Amino acid sequence: MPNDDLTLLREYSRSHSESAFASLVERHVNLVHSVALRQVHDPHLAEDVTQAVFIILARKAGTLGGNTILSGWLCRVTRYVSCRALRGEWRRQQREQEAYMQSTLNEPPSETWMQIAPLLDAAMEKLDRKDHDALVLRFLKTRISRKLGWHWERVKTPPGCV
């Protein structure tokens, strides 16, 4: 059985040798998982990232050059996949928050809101024009536009991803 990474990689890409690929996974799974865990800070997500990295390795096995240092390549791919996973998680959370906000916008006004609304309007009237307009643009217009289905805010990159 060949023992260096590139030999195992070539064997896998040439003959789809499960034992060669299993050897590569066994050698590098702890490295990939530890890099993923440091990036995503979630054991379950780190496991998903680890699986995705080895799927990418399986797909790209035949394209890696002879000078490739597999452990370095795996670390880079793990960081990339981790960032994509974090971005996906962040977007999922944003969609869930948006769905929650939409559901609360469609609810009838509560009794508390009915009591607070006149006080809010009175307080808004006392503000100078600049402050009044800033609050309207930041809170009231955003709420109305969301109710109508418009999205004024751009999607931001989640923390940890550039």
Side-chain angles (χ1 to χ4, degrees), residues 2-21:
N3 60 3
D4 74 317
D5 290 341
L6 287 178
T7 305
L8 289 170
L9 203 55
R10 297 295 172 247
E11 182 180 335
Y12 171 72
S13 66
R14 186 179 61 250
S15 62
H16 297 288
S17 168
E18 288 184 27
S19 63
F21 194 76

Side-chain angles (χ1 to χ4, degrees), residues 53-95:
V53 168
F54 284 108
I55 289 170
I56 293 170
L57 176 62
R59 289 181 183 156
K60 295 194 176 232
T63 64
L64 297 179
N67 294 330
T68 301
I69 298 172
L70 187 59
S71 55
W73 185 89
L74 288 168
C75 285
R76 286 188 300 278
V77 171
T78 302
R79 286 193 300 272
Y80 172 73
V81 172
S82 295
C83 187
R84 277 193 353 216
L86 285 172
R87 190 178 307 120
E89 283 293 303
W90 183 82
R91 287 180 177 156
R92 180 189 58 76
Q93 290 171 353
Q94 294 299 311
R95 284 190 305 272

